[in-house]
Amino acid sequence: MHSTSKLYKKSKFRLSEMIIEWTIRLTASFSVIVIFLIFIFIFRESGGLIFGTAKELKPKKSTSEKTTDKPEEKVKPEIYNPETGEIAKVKENKKQDISKSSESKSESIWKNIFSDTWQPVGKKPKYGIQPLLIGTFKVTLVSLLFATPLSILAAIYCAFFAKAWIRDIIKPTVEVLAGFPSVVLGFFCLVTVVQGVYNTTQFLQPLCTHIADFISWVIPFSNEWIHSVLTISDFHYSSVVGGIGLGLAVIPIIFTISEDALSSVPKSYREASLALGATESETAFKVMLPAALPGVVAAVLLGIGRAFGETMIALMATGNAALFSWNIFHPVRTLAATIGSETGEVQWGSLHYNILFFLGILLFLVSFIINALTELFVKRYLSKKFQGA
Amino acid sequence: MKRRFILFFTISLFISGSAFENKVLTLKGSDTMVILVQKWTEVYPDKSVQFQVTGGGSGTGIASLINGTTDICSSSRPMKSAEASQMKQKYGKPPIEIRVARDGLSVYVHKSNMIKALTIKQLGDIFTGKIKNWKEVGGPNHKIILYSRENNSGTYEFFKEHVLMNKDFDPSAQHMPGTSAVVGAIAMDEWGIGYGGAAYTKGVNEVKVSLQKDSIAYLPTEENILNGKYPISRFLYFYLRERPMNEIKQFIDWVISNEGQKVVLDVGYFPTKKL
């Protein structure tokens, strides 16, 4: 290292070289800087909540509150009559004098946030994020259950069993699926998938009830809970529909990366396994797949990260009901869809606004943790285990 | 090389110059009103004015008006005093409100649903979750499935204030991204009930609404809304930053005129006065 730096210093100083080097350095670090800035921005915008500086959170002194309210005028828009071009005097509507701020927020805001009802618009706003977290989790789970087997099996097929010309057709086609705008997928789910899922679930409803009865007979005291979780309800929009839509969005990601990982396993593994007498499928599942496991797990984790943050599909296909329920056939409301649909209306700088950015922080943290997991767990542990230290 | 450069430069000057001739008016806001505003801008006789129409919800429109990213904001709910004070702080004067149409909030049910009329109290109880089964209002024995609008919608706020009397919606109420999505969902769901603007009734039935148990139930028709008999009716508004001038004034004068109000009827809403 030292000898190369000495070599650097020996070379002649050229201004153009230095400019080019700095330009490349800046553009390369641009993305890192932007990530930091976004992080700082989100933290700042939710500062009202985290640092307790939001207007609604300031402690109220009851007597002085009344006296300061009176001189503050309630501004109302002026009604313009286009025919005459004059401004009408607005009558004070006595009913609206019952303002929201007169209700004291004696309970802590954090208790409100960790409660189980999300109704942020109303006289007494409730910001419980539990139903949102459960909804996001359910939808991600369903999408992974749907997408992972499909894409990994497709990747194995493409890498080992497909003829070259079939592979040349399948790979680009799945990448076209990656290019679908998520709005189109969401719309497709809204119109088509909903009907299909509904008909199937209505058909399977008696079967599910029997399974729930059996399980609750086997496990004592769980009758009500098992029935609430396993029975198929009559909702058209549910986390199953949203999960299928998300799964469609996630399949190309998992497929492409696993397929690359599987193809890059040295051919000698395969030839050795076949030479020792294993069949093609035994080779694929017991030799090649474990060898490519770091790449496959990284692909699945990336898929999870994508499914967590997907907004449009969740907004259109899940029914957006903030229900606290573990049943996957109930409608859900995901974090991303909440941010997407409520940010348009919210008053800038209000507590609701800060809480929406707090939800953004949660999403950010989750993808951060998943990426960190990918780096640490996959690269170190799995590589060592399956590819030798 | 130099000649080509001069030619390119002059052509680009011409193109950019012609862009300045037409005034572009932006209208943002209510999803309930977006088809109405689009129709108005299509039919408007002065073709030298270009329009940019977007939805996003009444709240989004008002936020754009405060930020200055739109000329006119369409809203299906009146502006809140907090928003009006923000405008006064930013621009020094309160916003201007213009009533451009009337709307009745229809309550939709599936075409096979036998329920013909409901009272405001029954509707409130259904949507807050007190009444959970159709048999409690005279229908078959099945759970009621609720469809609502998102909470950034003026329709949502109006319904919550005037029908639910400011109580919370039942948590199982599914929030759809727009009245047409509500109607589409109910057209598929025979146990569903939902609400939305009166212009979107393709494929579903409307329920007559009565004020109290013994009063007459009315459908949201033009007559019932204009004479105030239909209980859930509201104005649709345009909000501006200042008094309308020039192109905006001409547009608004045309919108309020008989021609503009005829377009309101065509789209399915109701005019502000009898035509």
Tab-separated table of all heavy atoms in Angstrom, chain A residues 313-346:
chain	number	residue	atom	x	y	z
A	313	ILE	N	-50.424	-1.014	-5.061
A	313	ILE	CA	-51.153	-2.277	-5.083
A	313	ILE	C	-51.927	-2.439	-3.781
A	313	ILE	O	-53.100	-2.813	-3.763
A	313	ILE	CB	-50.181	-3.455	-5.267
A	313	ILE	CG1	-49.449	-3.292	-6.581
A	313	ILE	CG2	-50.916	-4.766	-5.215
A	313	ILE	CD1	-48.462	-4.369	-6.831
A	314	ALA	N	-51.249	-2.122	-2.664
A	314	ALA	CA	-51.911	-2.256	-1.365
A	314	ALA	C	-53.087	-1.302	-1.275
A	314	ALA	O	-54.131	-1.622	-0.729
A	314	ALA	CB	-50.913	-1.977	-0.251
A	315	LEU	N	-52.945	-0.114	-1.830
A	315	LEU	CA	-54.008	0.878	-1.733
A	315	LEU	C	-55.245	0.448	-2.488
A	315	LEU	O	-56.369	0.699	-2.069
A	315	LEU	CB	-53.483	2.190	-2.317
A	315	LEU	CG	-54.108	3.489	-1.855
A	315	LEU	CD1	-53.038	4.510	-1.755
A	315	LEU	CD2	-55.134	3.953	-2.824
A	316	MET	N	-55.054	-0.228	-3.639
A	316	MET	CA	-56.220	-0.517	-4.452
A	316	MET	C	-56.841	-1.865	-4.143
A	316	MET	O	-58.027	-2.056	-4.338
A	316	MET	CB	-55.827	-0.489	-5.935
A	316	MET	CG	-55.356	0.860	-6.362
A	316	MET	SD	-54.840	0.837	-8.064
A	316	MET	CE	-56.243	1.553	-8.827
A	317	ALA	N	-56.034	-2.816	-3.701
A	317	ALA	CA	-56.543	-4.182	-3.648
A	317	ALA	C	-56.822	-4.712	-2.256
A	317	ALA	O	-57.329	-5.810	-2.135
A	317	ALA	CB	-55.563	-5.128	-4.342
A	318	THR	N	-56.473	-3.972	-1.203
A	318	THR	CA	-56.603	-4.580	0.114
A	318	THR	C	-57.821	-4.102	0.887
A	318	THR	O	-58.083	-4.608	1.961
A	318	THR	CB	-55.384	-4.259	0.990
A	318	THR	OG1	-55.238	-2.845	1.022
A	318	THR	CG2	-54.146	-4.892	0.452
A	319	GLY	N	-58.559	-3.122	0.406
A	319	GLY	CA	-59.732	-2.671	1.145
A	319	GLY	C	-59.442	-1.613	2.179
A	319	GLY	O	-60.353	-0.981	2.698
A	320	ASN	N	-58.168	-1.400	2.526
A	320	ASN	CA	-57.803	-0.290	3.402
A	320	ASN	C	-58.594	-0.173	4.685
A	320	ASN	O	-58.964	0.914	5.100
A	320	ASN	CB	-57.950	1.038	2.653
A	320	ASN	CG	-56.847	1.216	1.655
A	320	ASN	OD1	-55.694	0.938	1.919
A	320	ASN	ND2	-57.220	1.625	0.475
A	321	ALA	N	-58.920	-1.279	5.319
A	321	ALA	CA	-59.644	-1.189	6.580
A	321	ALA	C	-58.669	-1.473	7.703
A	321	ALA	O	-58.027	-2.513	7.721
A	321	ALA	CB	-60.779	-2.205	6.602
A	322	ALA	N	-58.567	-0.553	8.661
A	322	ALA	CA	-57.591	-0.724	9.736
A	322	ALA	C	-58.161	-1.654	10.800
A	322	ALA	O	-58.548	-1.238	11.883
A	322	ALA	CB	-57.255	0.635	10.337
A	323	LEU	N	-58.199	-2.940	10.437
A	323	LEU	CA	-58.771	-3.941	11.338
A	323	LEU	C	-57.678	-4.621	12.119
A	323	LEU	O	-56.654	-4.989	11.553
A	323	LEU	CB	-59.470	-5.030	10.514
A	323	LEU	CG	-60.950	-4.930	10.248
A	323	LEU	CD1	-61.367	-6.143	9.468
A	323	LEU	CD2	-61.707	-4.865	11.541
A	324	PHE	N	-57.904	-4.850	13.419
A	324	PHE	CA	-56.938	-5.592	14.202
A	324	PHE	C	-57.360	-7.048	14.161
A	324	PHE	O	-58.189	-7.481	14.940
A	324	PHE	CB	-56.954	-5.074	15.637
A	324	PHE	CG	-55.880	-5.682	16.484
A	324	PHE	CD1	-54.710	-5.002	16.714
A	324	PHE	CD2	-56.043	-6.932	17.037
A	324	PHE	CE1	-53.708	-5.556	17.490
A	324	PHE	CE2	-55.052	-7.491	17.815
A	324	PHE	CZ	-53.887	-6.806	18.046
A	325	SER	N	-56.804	-7.794	13.200
A	325	SER	CA	-57.256	-9.184	13.070
A	325	SER	C	-56.141	-9.998	12.442
A	325	SER	O	-55.417	-9.519	11.576
A	325	SER	CB	-58.506	-9.223	12.199
A	325	SER	OG	-58.544	-10.393	11.449
A	326	TRP	N	-55.982	-11.272	12.857
A	326	TRP	CA	-54.934	-12.113	12.289
A	326	TRP	C	-55.445	-12.959	11.135
A	326	TRP	O	-54.731	-13.798	10.620
A	326	TRP	CB	-54.365	-13.031	13.373
A	326	TRP	CG	-53.590	-12.281	14.379
A	326	TRP	CD1	-54.008	-11.906	15.620
A	326	TRP	CD2	-52.259	-11.777	14.238
A	326	TRP	NE1	-53.011	-11.212	16.261
A	326	TRP	CE2	-51.935	-11.118	15.439
A	326	TRP	CE3	-51.315	-11.834	13.214
A	326	TRP	CZ2	-50.706	-10.508	15.642
A	326	TRP	CZ3	-50.086	-11.226	13.424
A	326	TRP	CH2	-49.799	-10.568	14.624
A	327	ASN	N	-56.673	-12.749	10.733
A	327	ASN	CA	-57.281	-13.534	9.666
A	327	ASN	C	-56.849	-12.960	8.320
A	327	ASN	O	-57.035	-11.777	8.049
A	327	ASN	CB	-58.801	-13.450	9.813
A	327	ASN	CG	-59.512	-14.400	8.900
A	327	ASN	OD1	-58.991	-14.822	7.883
A	327	ASN	ND2	-60.731	-14.730	9.263
A	328	ILE	N	-56.248	-13.824	7.454
A	328	ILE	CA	-55.770	-13.256	6.202
A	328	ILE	C	-56.889	-12.973	5.220
A	328	ILE	O	-56.675	-12.367	4.176
A	328	ILE	CB	-54.719	-14.147	5.507
A	328	ILE	CG1	-55.276	-15.544	5.273
A	328	ILE	CG2	-53.449	-14.183	6.281
A	328	ILE	CD1	-54.364	-16.367	4.403
A	329	PHE	N	-58.121	-13.408	5.525
A	329	PHE	CA	-59.205	-13.127	4.597
A	329	PHE	C	-59.962	-11.858	4.956
A	329	PHE	O	-61.022	-11.594	4.415
A	329	PHE	CB	-60.168	-14.316	4.551
A	329	PHE	CG	-59.508	-15.553	4.048
A	329	PHE	CD1	-59.110	-16.543	4.920
A	329	PHE	CD2	-59.258	-15.713	2.700
A	329	PHE	CE1	-58.483	-17.673	4.456
A	329	PHE	CE2	-58.630	-16.844	2.230
A	329	PHE	CZ	-58.242	-17.833	3.106
A	330	HIS	N	-59.417	-11.073	5.867
A	330	HIS	CA	-60.020	-9.783	6.192
A	330	HIS	C	-59.284	-8.679	5.454
A	330	HIS	O	-58.093	-8.808	5.172
A	330	HIS	CB	-59.929	-9.509	7.695
A	330	HIS	CG	-60.933	-10.262	8.486
A	330	HIS	ND1	-60.921	-10.303	9.861
A	330	HIS	CD2	-61.989	-11.003	8.114
A	330	HIS	CE1	-61.932	-11.036	10.282
A	330	HIS	NE2	-62.585	-11.476	9.256
A	331	PRO	N	-59.957	-7.544	5.197
A	331	PRO	CA	-59.230	-6.440	4.558
A	331	PRO	C	-58.202	-5.855	5.512
A	331	PRO	O	-58.345	-5.933	6.730
A	331	PRO	CB	-60.331	-5.419	4.252
A	331	PRO	CG	-61.440	-5.771	5.136
A	331	PRO	CD	-61.362	-7.232	5.397
A	332	VAL	N	-57.129	-5.281	4.949
A	332	VAL	CA	-56.051	-4.734	5.769
A	332	VAL	C	-55.734	-3.330	5.317
A	332	VAL	O	-56.170	-2.878	4.257
A	332	VAL	CB	-54.762	-5.578	5.672
A	332	VAL	CG1	-54.986	-6.939	6.196
A	332	VAL	CG2	-54.275	-5.613	4.253
A	333	ARG	N	-54.932	-2.636	6.126
A	333	ARG	CA	-54.441	-1.316	5.764
A	333	ARG	C	-52.947	-1.332	6.029
A	333	ARG	O	-52.528	-1.527	7.154
A	333	ARG	CB	-55.119	-0.264	6.645
A	333	ARG	CG	-54.917	1.132	6.161
A	333	ARG	CD	-55.598	2.087	7.102
A	333	ARG	NE	-55.465	3.440	6.636
A	333	ARG	CZ	-56.361	4.068	5.895
A	333	ARG	NH1	-57.462	3.471	5.563
A	333	ARG	NH2	-56.150	5.305	5.495
A	334	THR	N	-52.160	-1.159	4.968
A	334	THR	CA	-50.716	-1.220	5.171
A	334	THR	C	-50.175	0.169	5.489
A	334	THR	O	-50.801	1.185	5.240
A	334	THR	CB	-50.005	-1.740	3.917
A	334	THR	OG1	-50.375	-0.905	2.833
A	334	THR	CG2	-50.397	-3.158	3.615
A	335	LEU	N	-48.941	0.184	6.036
A	335	LEU	CA	-48.284	1.451	6.380
A	335	LEU	C	-48.130	2.323	5.144
A	335	LEU	O	-48.449	3.511	5.152
A	335	LEU	CB	-46.903	1.169	6.970
A	335	LEU	CG	-46.838	0.631	8.391
A	335	LEU	CD1	-45.431	0.195	8.696
A	335	LEU	CD2	-47.273	1.685	9.361
A	336	ALA	N	-47.620	1.696	4.061
A	336	ALA	CA	-47.336	2.485	2.866
A	336	ALA	C	-48.609	3.066	2.260
A	336	ALA	O	-48.637	4.217	1.831
A	336	ALA	CB	-46.601	1.617	1.845
A	337	ALA	N	-49.686	2.269	2.246
A	337	ALA	CA	-50.934	2.773	1.674
A	337	ALA	C	-51.495	3.898	2.525
A	337	ALA	O	-52.083	4.850	2.002
A	337	ALA	CB	-51.954	1.650	1.557
A	338	THR	N	-51.326	3.800	3.844
A	338	THR	CA	-51.804	4.882	4.715
A	338	THR	C	-51.092	6.173	4.389
A	338	THR	O	-51.707	7.224	4.232
A	338	THR	CB	-51.534	4.524	6.191
A	338	THR	OG1	-52.040	3.240	6.449
A	338	THR	CG2	-52.166	5.522	7.104
A	339	ILE	N	-49.735	6.079	4.274
A	339	ILE	CA	-48.982	7.295	3.953
A	339	ILE	C	-49.429	7.827	2.604
A	339	ILE	O	-49.679	9.017	2.428
A	339	ILE	CB	-47.471	6.996	3.923
A	339	ILE	CG1	-47.005	6.505	5.274
A	339	ILE	CG2	-46.706	8.235	3.536
A	339	ILE	CD1	-45.549	6.176	5.305
A	340	GLY	N	-49.592	6.915	1.638
A	340	GLY	CA	-49.937	7.345	0.289
A	340	GLY	C	-51.279	8.032	0.216
A	340	GLY	O	-51.444	9.033	-0.481
A	341	SER	N	-52.266	7.532	0.962
A	341	SER	CA	-53.584	8.123	0.791
A	341	SER	C	-53.828	9.292	1.704
A	341	SER	O	-54.658	10.139	1.407
A	341	SER	CB	-54.655	7.066	0.996
A	341	SER	OG	-54.504	6.462	2.240
A	342	GLU	N	-53.117	9.381	2.827
A	342	GLU	CA	-53.453	10.465	3.756
A	342	GLU	C	-52.576	11.683	3.636
A	342	GLU	O	-52.934	12.752	4.130
A	342	GLU	CB	-53.407	9.943	5.195
A	342	GLU	CG	-54.499	8.936	5.434
A	342	GLU	CD	-54.551	8.476	6.876
A	342	GLU	OE1	-53.988	9.173	7.727
A	342	GLU	OE2	-55.123	7.417	7.119
A	343	THR	N	-51.409	11.555	3.005
A	343	THR	CA	-50.505	12.702	2.972
A	343	THR	C	-51.073	13.850	2.162
A	343	THR	O	-50.755	15.007	2.420
A	343	THR	CB	-49.155	12.285	2.359
A	343	THR	OG1	-48.776	11.042	2.898
A	343	THR	CG2	-48.088	13.297	2.685
A	344	GLY	N	-51.931	13.548	1.185
A	344	GLY	CA	-52.479	14.615	0.370
A	344	GLY	C	-53.324	15.586	1.173
A	344	GLY	O	-53.306	16.777	0.943
A	345	GLU	N	-54.076	15.054	2.143
A	345	GLU	CA	-55.041	15.896	2.838
A	345	GLU	C	-54.456	16.596	4.054
A	345	GLU	O	-54.860	17.669	4.425
A	345	GLU	CB	-56.219	15.011	3.292
A	345	GLU	CG	-56.815	15.336	4.625
A	345	GLU	CD	-57.682	16.582	4.601
A	345	GLU	OE1	-57.901	17.123	3.519
A	345	GLU	OE2	-58.137	16.994	5.669
A	346	VAL	N	-53.481	15.960	4.684
A	346	VAL	CA	-53.129	16.364	6.031
A	346	VAL	C	-52.596	17.794	6.071
A	346	VAL	O	-51.978	18.274	5.123
A	346	VAL	CB	-52.087	15.361	6.579
A	346	VAL	CG1	-50.743	15.603	5.955
A	346	VAL	CG2	-52.022	15.410	8.061
